[in-house]
Amino acid sequence: MVVSTAVSALCENPNEDFLDASKLLIMCADNILRHPDDEKYRSIRISNPMFSSKLLPVKGAVQCLFEMGFEEAETHMVFPRSASVEQLKLIRESIATERDQRLRTSGSTTPSPPQQTQRPSEDLNIFATLQHYSQHVMLYENPDLQQKARDCIPQQQLRSSARERLRQARQTDPECDLGEDDFLVLELLGWFKRDFFSWVDCLPCGHCGRQTAKSAPLSPSAEDLRWGAQRVEGYHCGTCQRSTRFPRYNDPGKLLETRRGRCGEWANCFALCCRALGLEARYVWDSSDHVWTEVYSLSQRRWLHCDACENVCDRPLLYEAGWGKKLSYVLAFSKDQVVDVTWRYSRKHAEVAARRTAIQEPWLRHAIDGLNEIKQRSLRVSSERKAELTHRLMVELVEFISPKSPTAPRELGGRSSGSLAWRAARGEI
């Protein structure tokens, strides 16, 4: 008998998906029951291919783990010592009862081969991306990091300028329905580009200051790893024959200190600055190798595209129409929601759809839905907030239906950030 909403949701899946997921869920529970003192059975790595392919995309599967008593850690699902073993048994038996009934009905003791085409190995990269960024954006909610960002931002100056621009706008157009935050976003973008962050193509020599050439990657140090720098670029100086290191920091707090990088560092730090000023922001990842930010406009009730590298706002066709990018997957991540926003950034929907072959659309949809349920549950999102998020998503979906046309010359121009050689090499001029 079904005893939880999670198991009910699991039972709604196609038979093959249910049998695969239920087998793993029962195995996880049995391992804990048989080996209660062995820590290795109390932890499931989120990046584990079996978790990514058999549980995460299946409706209700991850929720069953929560019902059993698992909790979400940074990189694992963990069954803590304080969790109820009786609750674990209850959910396990409920799943097993349904599984046994289905197997008896089919007249087989083993699941039949899945009829759905198996997902290629590339799919796991999409799942890893979903998992990584859905966790990473929670850094922007850290009160200490937000305060560190506010200490760097000339808040009074930016807000004063925003109020003045709003006053001028309403003087020009008495029916102007924009808000102060809309102009604050523009002021923040300008300050970030002009005064705060700097672009890195090729580092000058850290010893003599002359031009360097990129050399082989270097191994990250313990200090690099502390700030999320899994990659360290090396640059060699032909003049003094010394090397300069460029750790690609992924910690937005560290980036407030270094204040340099390429689009990853720019978008990462800018998103933190937005949250520090109370703006709702999300980090946007593009599979064709770019990242940027979106900021929600309360007055316009829609998400605004913001690219700190380019100092542009609300120019979503910039990449496809201006840079010539071949888009396929564009995903937006905030503290309580993940959204596939690909269609906001394209006017060639048929071409984009034809390129979306790395993952089957139902798998992607189920994975995003599952992550959103996990995020909102762990954050204890209120029913009012859920309703607001649902309404926003509906507005976005209506926007996505109709392909757009460029609305400004800036959407038809090439990239401005980076050297000419770097932009030319990427085909973005």
Side-chain angles (χ1 to χ4, degrees), residues 183-320:
F183 290 97
L184 179 60
V185 171
L186 300 180
E187 292 295 326
L188 185 64
L189 280 166
W191 165 80
F192 197 90
K193 169 87 171 181
R194 180 182 62 251
D195 302 325
F196 189 67
F197 229 73
S198 61
W199 184 268
V200 172
D201 282 326
C202 193
L203 283 177
C205 178
H207 303 280
C208 70
R210 299 191 180 183
Q211 186 67 30
T212 63
K214 195 170 184 179
S215 57
L218 305 174
S219 299
S221 65
E223 183 68 10
D224 296 331
L225 295 173
R226 176 189 174 192
W227 302 110
Q230 303 286 341
R231 294 183 296 131
V232 178
E233 296 177 0
Y235 293 87
H236 180 72
C237 178
T239 303
C240 68
Q241 301 300 313
R242 295 192 182 185
S243 294
T244 299
R245 306 171 79 256
F246 178 38
R248 301 300 303 275
Y249 294 122
N250 199 37
D251 185 289
K254 183 66 173 179
L255 294 175
L256 290 171
E257 302 171 9
T258 62
R259 304 183 183 186
R260 66 181 185 182
R262 292 194 278 277
C263 62
E265 289 88 350
W266 281 67
N268 195 359
C269 192
F270 184 75
L272 172 61
C273 290
C274 289
R275 294 296 298 127
L277 294 186
L279 301 168
E280 284 199 61
R282 36 191 207 193
Y283 183 95
V284 183
W285 170 85
D286 160 31
S287 62
S288 66
D289 191 25
H290 191 48
V291 290
W292 57 90
T293 312
E294 288 183 345
V295 177
Y296 190 74
S297 168
L298 288 172
S299 60
Q300 301 179 61
R301 296 196 63 77
R302 64 188 182 94
W303 288 96
L304 304 176
H305 153 252
C306 296
D307 192 323
C309 303
E310 305 295 298
N311 187 18
V312 297
C313 179
D314 207 18
R315 298 287 182 261
L317 295 183
L318 172 68
Y319 311 115
E320 184 184 78

Side-chain angles (χ1 to χ4, degrees), residues 45-106:
R45 183 163 48 88
I46 293 175
S47 60
N48 183 293
M50 292 299 287
F51 180 91
S52 299
S53 62
K54 300 295 186 182
L55 294 182
L56 182 59
V58 177
K59 183 179 181 181
V62 175
Q63 290 69 33
C64 282
L65 289 174
F66 280 116
E67 291 287 346
M68 287 179 178
F70 281 81
E71 296 179 357
E72 186 182 21
E74 184 175 355
T75 58
H76 290 70
M77 296 283 288
V78 177
F79 189 81
R81 290 285 178 179
S82 58
S84 169
V85 174
E86 292 304 314
Q87 175 69 9
L88 175 73
K89 290 180 181 177
L90 187 65
I91 301 300
R92 185 254 184 235
E93 290 305 315
S94 181
I95 296 171
T97 298
E98 176 67 19
R99 178 180 172 80
D100 290 343
Q101 182 177 340
R102 293 197 185 195
L103 290 175
R104 284 196 301 271
T105 301
S106 66

